[in-house]
Amino acid sequence: DAKHLVPNKMRDFFCTINLDQEEVFRTQVVEKSLSPYFGEEFYFEIPRTFQWLSFYIYDKSVLQKDLRIGKVSIKKEDLCNYTGKENWFMLQPVDSNSEVQGKVHLELKLNELITDNGSVCQQLVVHIKECHGLPLINGQNCDPYATVSLVGPSRNDQKKTKVKKKTSNPQFNETFYFEVTRSSSYTKKSQFQVEEEDIEKLEVRVDLWNNGNLVQDIFLGEIKVPVKVLRNDSFQAWYLLQPRENGNKSSKTDDLGSLRLNICYTEDCVLPSEYYTSLRNLLLKSSDVQPISASAGYILSEVCRDKYDAVLPLVRLLLHHHKLVPFIAAVAELDLKDTQEANTIFRGNSLATRCVDEMMKIVGKHYLKVTLKPVIDEICESPKPCEIDPIKLKEGDNVDVNMENLRYYVDKVFREIVRSSISCPTLMCDVFYSLRHLAAKRFPNDPHVQYSAVSSFVFLRFFAVAVVSPHTFHLRPHHPDAQTSRTLTLISKAIQTLGSWGSLTKSKLSSFKETFMCEFFKTFQEEKFTESVKKFLDDVSSTESKEPSGLSEPVHLKEGEMYKRAQGRTRIGKKNFKKRWFCLTSREFTYHKQQDKEPIFTIPIKNILAVEKLDESSFNKKNMFQVLHGEKPLYIQANNCVEASEWIEALCRVTRCNQKRLNFYHPSAFLNGNWLCCKATIENTVGCARCTADVPADTQIEIDGDREAERIYSLFTINMSKLQKLEEACGSIAVYQGPRKEPDDYSNFTIEDSVATFHTLKQIIDIVEKLNESHEKYQKKRSSSAKYGSE
């Protein structure tokens, strides 16, 4: 959210998230506010190098261009200082001199030359090779050129490259020569002193500009290199473009308002898969360790300050290797040992409950979409007033009508849920089956506990949470407005109550804090709803296979608006690209003129031969990729780099098992009778570049096992001191067979079997130390081969 924005009058605001100058996400517009609450979450993989993560606040305009009020820009290196916590940031002014992105490739050399009169002078050679990743200007590729200057106290020699048309990755390959001037009269002795003095004060400056033709040129960034670093060596490097020194400097920064952000940024250096074999094997056998508290998976959750940090990579890794269900069963059994009353079963934030929560989020995405999305769309797009709290009723509201509206929505949502068991993923059913039988075993005299063990997850932690926060579960693109949020909150409360086994009894209803909710639930027939819930819970906690019709439905994977090049045309230009709505399922890839319209073009998944990036040079457009199938390639332009990466990844996952996948492809397009990449003139000739490797992930679940292993290694590394203390504690207990010497340090840890725990801890520490060595070797190799002059 933001507060105290300017101008100091009620306006319509929205916020964008940018990688450098490229917008990757945009919030909904919050109308008529000075302190807009956005409440939106965006999670994405960053597919390219970047310098700044920026957040821009815009004042929405109907007739004119949206006005940028201010921004928050955080340098990549500083993101770790803000991760995992909320921070208020003062908005900074948006200054064109500070809006930069991209990098430039330079080769610099200082030569000694003998002049005609026999004296020695020095010549600076600047070879500007290329630039990469320059920003779009007004949505189009820029027309860049560079100025190369040698700047000193009494000189400013400037030279200019040619303008390159419509490209964000210009190839300049131009060389410029500058003489390092000398005093007209000098002795052999003084020459060296003058040379040193000159070099100390000279610098090479390269400025990138967009050629504006009839309007003013736009600054794209600059770099400065002191000449003294060269001496007599040739120096070649990539330099990240920087803002001007006076960019983003203003005395009015306090007047623009502030923005509150919660940023979670992780950066992992993932080594080849074989490096993680030992760690992976140790984690995968966690469910076989007796007791479970001595396993590597359990120890990981114990040493992490926030259990969620450990749960996410652990669940994903176990899920990827089909080891999640036995692990959840083992930790749930440990959880139940400490549960004294059946009515509090699985209500806390233990390792077991968090693992199930995370599993449902990952595995249940499609299940939520097919079950709740239609009714959530109806509630959000055609909202009816549903407020039944007398205190919150507005003037003119009819509480009876509102109660009818709320009842209509609750009935509809409840009906969709209890009819959805056929769509419940098998993995969720397997987990619920285990939980149900563990609960019945722990409380054999309570006939209802087997149902409440399942309903506490599927109703309270899954459906009810998705109803109240549909944007978090990708059921809606944005956070709903205040009135709709209130409606969804009331529906969510009702679903929790209806789903909680036995909660419709009179004794339960009397315990409601809000009397208006108690009155609302008196209209429900207890027996009818209880039987529906019971049947649904029986179905979703059964290990019986689903009906074939449930499996034959195509799985919806991704959809969105992009641009595609018209097929079969030879004309090149903007008219060739049309905006279309794309949809990917497990069965086919289609595009439509508009959302919810019939498809114009369909490619069966089995016919897709490859999905690869397309060189920008093909059509002078960024973020392009190609779908190769039986006919001509389908060329598509995404809206930004994140979107392009996500589409390529999704298409690669769903087609990776196709038997006729290509091994080679053309990175560029076939235009004007030849392939731009290899100049071959035959259109159906074999590709000139090898296709990218298959994505090691499940079709419906995006998991990279090596990355999750690397994340777990990082967590163990961060918490190494706790691991070592825990190892000492286990050693003391094992040797002395007595109480722990320092209860304050270890009282929060579960040590059921000190010998088994000690053995696992020793393995973890040894594995982490070996991985530390591998990472150090890699970093040394990377630093010795790095060619970034500005990093």
Side-chain angles (χ1 to χ4, degrees):
D1 58 344
K3 63 182 181 182
H4 309 318
L5 299 181
V6 294
N8 293 316
K9 54 184 178 180
M10 308 294 269
R11 302 300 291 264
D12 301 340
F13 294 106
F14 66 92
C15 180
T16 66
I17 304 175
N18 292 49
L19 289 175
D20 297 321
Q21 294 305 293
E22 183 177 17
E23 180 184 319
V24 292
F25 287 107
R26 177 179 291 211
T27 70
Q28 66 177 350
V29 176
V30 177
E31 298 178 347
K32 294 182 173 51
S33 175
L34 275 177
S35 300
Y37 177 77
F38 301 109
E40 300 201 35
E41 293 181 10
F42 300 97
Y43 169 83
F44 60 101
E45 298 283 339
I46 300 175
R48 63 170 176 84
T49 57
F50 71 103
Q51 292 189 71
W52 300 87
L53 179 66
S54 300
F55 303 83
Y56 291 83
I57 296 288
Y58 284 82
D59 180 359
K60 179 72 176 174
S61 176
V62 178
L63 301 176
Q64 299 176 343
K65 188 177 179 181
D66 298 330
L67 177 66
R68 289 197 286 191
I69 299 295
K71 68 174 183 178
V72 172
S73 288
I74 306 172
K75 207 163 188 177
K76 177 186 174 183
E77 293 76 16
D78 297 332
L79 283 171
C80 58
N81 298 330
Y82 303 104
T83 188
K85 52 192 174 185
E86 287 187 357
N87 293 278
W88 280 101
F89 296 88
M90 299 300 297
L91 289 177
Q92 303 297 318
V94 179
D95 175 7
S96 60
N97 287 332
S98 69
E99 305 295 291
V100 303
Q101 82 172 43
K103 57 187 179 181
V104 59
H105 193 188
L106 288 184
E107 183 177 7
L108 306 170
K109 190 172 184 180
L110 205 55
N111 292 332
E112 281 196 349
L113 298 179
I114 300 176
T115 61
D116 294 338
N117 62 9
S119 60
V120 177
C121 73
Q122 289 195 309
Q123 182 188 58
L124 177 66
V125 183
V126 181
H127 180 193
I128 179 166
K129 295 188 172 186
E130 59 181 317
C131 291
H132 185 79
L134 298 181
L136 298 177
I137 304 296
N138 297 324
Q140 299 294 322
N141 281 332
C142 54
D143 296 338
Y145 70 89
T147 60
V148 182
S149 309
L150 182 62
V151 182
S154 58
R155 67 183 291 175
N156 187 355
D157 299 343
Q158 186 179 96
K159 300 184 180 184
K160 178 181 170 182
T161 68
K162 294 176 182 177
V163 176
K164 299 295 180 180
K165 292 289 186 182
K166 301 297 178 193
T167 176
S168 296
N169 303 317
Q171 303 282 328
F172 292 112
N173 274 322
E174 295 190 41
T175 304
F176 301 99
Y177 301 90
F178 299 89
E179 280 194 9
V180 178
T181 56
R182 298 284 172 261
S183 171
S184 57
S185 60
Y186 60 87
T187 64
K188 190 76 175 172
K189 182 178 179 182
S190 68
Q191 177 197 346
F192 180 76
Q193 295 168 337
V194 172
E195 177 188 305
E196 287 294 314
E197 182 184 5
D198 285 345
I199 289 177
E200 288 293 328
K201 296 179 180 179
L202 290 176
E203 67 179 10
V204 178
R205 192 177 75 206
V206 178
D207 294 78
L208 268 294
W209 297 87
N210 177 61
N211 183 36
N213 292 322
L214 300 178
V215 296
Q216 187 176 358
D217 292 354
I218 298 174
F219 175 74
L220 300 178
E222 70 176 12
I223 61 121
K224 295 179 180 179
V225 184
V227 175
K228 65 182 179 181
V229 304
L230 303 177
R231 299 303 177 189
N232 293 321
D233 297 329
S234 174
F235 188 74
Q236 184 177 169
W238 282 96
Y239 288 86
L240 298 173
L241 291 172
Q242 303 297 325
R244 277 188 176 156
E245 286 186 353
N246 63 342
N248 208 23
K249 300 271 177 84
S250 172
S251 59
K252 298 183 179 180
T253 56
D254 293 339
D255 302 330
L256 298 176
S258 52
L259 182 66
R260 182 167 58 167
L261 302 169
N262 190 337
I263 301 169
C264 292
Y265 174 76
T266 57
E267 184 175 327
D268 296 316
C269 170
V270 183
L271 300 173
S273 187
E274 58 268 19
Y275 285 86
Y276 301 105
T277 303
S278 298
L279 178 60
R280 187 166 51 241
N281 291 342
L282 186 64
L283 289 161
L284 294 181
K285 69 178 185 181
S286 290
S287 57
D288 301 325
V289 176
Q290 294 293 337
I292 189 65
S293 61
S295 68
Y298 194 91
I299 290 170
L300 175 67
S301 70
E302 289 280 270
V303 296
C304 289
R305 186 176 65 178
D306 186 347
K307 269 191 171 61
Y308 180 77
D309 291 340
V311 165
L312 181 58
L314 180 62
V315 166
R316 291 169 72 86
L317 183 71
L318 294 174
L319 187 57
H320 184 60
H321 293 280
H322 312 291
K323 293 284 188 179
L324 183 61
V325 177
F327 181 77
I328 288 179
V331 293
E333 191 170 14
L334 180 63
D335 205 12
L336 287 169
K337 284 182 182 178
D338 297 327
T339 306
Q340 302 304 319
E341 296 182 17
N343 60 359
T344 62
I345 192 168
F346 298 131
R347 292 298 172 95
N349 279 326
S350 64
L351 176 59
T353 57
R354 292 198 177 200
C355 283
V356 178
D357 285 351
E358 199 56 45
M359 177 275 297
M360 292 190 297
K361 283 182 187 175
I362 298 169
V363 177
K365 279 182 187 176
H366 177 66
Y367 179 34
L368 277 177
K369 194 167 282 188
V370 298
T371 305
L372 290 182
K373 193 174 190 323
V375 65
I376 295 292
D377 285 343
E378 179 188 339
I379 295 166
C380 293
E381 291 166 12
S382 306
K384 298 177 181 179
C386 294
E387 185 57 72
I388 57 174
D389 184 351
I391 299 172
K392 295 184 178 181
L393 284 172
K394 296 177 182 175
E395 189 175 344
D397 281 354
N398 186 321
V399 70
D400 294 328
V401 172
N402 288 5
M403 191 172 287
E404 283 182 22
N405 293 338
L406 181 60
R407 176 63 192 260
Y408 166 77
Y409 283 147
V410 169
D411 279 343
K412 195 162 188 177
V413 172
F414 180 80
R415 189 165 59 248
E416 292 299 326
I417 291 172
V418 295
R419 288 178 179 176
S420 71
S421 59
I422 192 67
S423 302
C424 186
T426 305
L427 188 76
M428 286 176 64
C429 294
D430 291 344
V431 169
F432 295 151
Y433 175 82
S434 296
L435 297 176
R436 176 177 179 167
H437 285 271
L438 286 169
K441 182 181 173 183
R442 174 69 178 85
F443 298 101
N445 298 323
D446 190 326
H448 300 316
V449 74
Q450 59 177 319
Y451 294 108
S452 58
V454 179
S455 67
S456 63
F457 286 107
V458 73
F459 278 101
L460 273 64
R461 293 172 176 264
F462 187 58
F463 285 120
V465 179
V467 167
V468 82
S469 302
H471 58 292
T472 306
F473 291 84
H474 307 292
L475 299 176
R476 295 291 299 170
H478 297 293
H479 189 282
D481 60 52
Q483 182 180 329
T484 308
S485 287
R486 174 62 180 166
T487 299
L488 292 173
T489 300
L490 292 171
I491 296 170
S492 178
K493 284 184 177 183
I495 294 301
Q496 287 184 52
T497 303
L498 293 172
S500 298
W501 184 257
S503 60
L504 288 177
T505 59
K506 292 178 181 178
S507 60
K508 289 277 186 180
L509 287 174
S510 63
S511 65
F512 266 108
K513 291 180 182 177
E514 303 104 330
T515 54
F516 61 88
M517 289 300 288
C518 182
E519 292 300 315
F520 175 65
F521 277 112
K522 284 179 181 177
T523 65
F524 287 78
Q525 294 178 6
E526 178 190 340
E527 188 176 333
K528 172 187 168 185
F529 284 90
T530 302
E531 283 304 309
S532 296
V533 171
K534 181 176 179 293
K535 183 179 184 308
F536 171 72
L537 295 175
D538 279 332
D539 289 343
V540 297
S541 58
S542 167
T543 56
E544 294 178 10
S545 60
K546 302 293 179 190
E547 295 175 17
S549 59
L551 294 174
S552 64
E553 289 298 313
V555 178
H556 181 98
L557 299 173
K558 191 169 178 61
E559 62 182 352
E561 204 169 56
M562 295 186 289
Y563 296 84
K564 66 99 190 168
R565 182 173 184 259
Q567 305 226 19
R569 296 192 188 175
T570 56
R571 228 171 119 193
I572 303 174
K574 287 165 65 176
K575 290 183 180 178
N576 281 73
F577 284 85
K578 293 185 177 180
K579 187 185 289 187
R580 293 288 182 256
W581 185 265
F582 288 81
C583 183
L584 174 65
T585 71
S586 56
R587 194 177 291 166
E588 59 191 19
F589 181 49
T590 58
Y591 64 76
H592 315 242
K593 201 161 189 176
Q594 293 175 335
Q595 188 178 4
D596 299 326
K597 297 288 185 183
E598 288 299 309
I600 301 172
F601 189 73
T602 300
I603 307 174
I605 293 300
K606 64 181 181 181
N607 291 354
I608 295 178
L609 307 176
V611 181
E612 299 288 346
K613 289 182 180 179
L614 186 72
D615 283 353
E616 179 196 318
S617 58
S618 299
F619 302 105
N620 286 326
K621 291 180 181 293
K622 300 182 78 170
N623 305 317
M624 287 203 66
F625 62 95
Q626 52 184 318
V627 179
L628 307 178
H629 56 109
E631 302 173 28
K632 292 189 176 183
L634 177 61
Y635 298 129
I636 301 171
Q637 184 187 26
N639 294 295
N640 56 64
C641 64
V642 172
E643 189 178 86
S645 175
E646 288 177 351
W647 272 105
I648 292 170
E649 201 171 315
L651 283 160
C652 284
R653 279 198 316 276
V654 78
T655 61
R656 68 191 177 99
C657 295
N658 288 359
Q659 294 181 353
K660 296 182 180 179
R661 277 183 68 94
L662 296 177
N663 293 320
F664 293 89
Y665 78 107
H666 291 283
S668 293
F670 185 83
L671 295 174
N672 302 323
N674 66 78
W675 289 101
L676 299 181
C677 42
C678 60
K679 307 306 177 187
T681 55
I682 302 173
E683 189 169 2
N684 61 356
T685 190
V686 177
C688 57
R690 182 171 286 279
C691 289
T692 52
D694 289 340
V695 180
D698 185 271
T699 299
Q700 296 178 41
I701 303 169
E702 305 171 27
I703 296 176
D704 180 343
D706 293 337
R707 180 160 191 186
E708 305 308 332
E710 170 62 28
R711 187 97 290 274
I712 291 170
Y713 152 74
S714 299
L715 292 170
F716 276 137
T717 304
I718 293 166
N719 294 286
M720 180 55 75
S721 60
K722 288 185 181 178
L723 289 170
Q724 290 169 340
K725 284 185 178 180
L726 191 54
E727 186 184 36
E728 290 173 15
C730 290
S732 299
I733 295 167
V735 171
Y736 297 109
Q737 295 294 319
R740 300 170 205 174
K741 298 291 182 183
E742 301 170 43
D744 291 341
D745 285 347
Y746 315 117
S747 56
N748 294 327
F749 293 128
T750 304
I751 305 177
E752 291 182 289
D753 186 326
S754 58
V755 175
T757 307
F758 181 87
H759 179 66
T760 305
L761 284 163
K762 191 173 186 312
Q763 288 179 283
I764 293 171
I765 293 168
D766 289 345
I767 289 169
V768 169
E769 286 174 352
K770 286 180 182 176
L771 278 169
N772 284 342
E773 292 174 8
S774 300
H775 275 281
E776 285 171 10
K777 286 179 184 176
Y778 172 78
Q779 291 297 344
K780 283 180 183 177
K781 183 180 177 183
R782 183 169 182 257
S783 61
S784 63
S785 61
K787 293 185 178 179
Y788 274 91
S790 51
E791 286 192 340

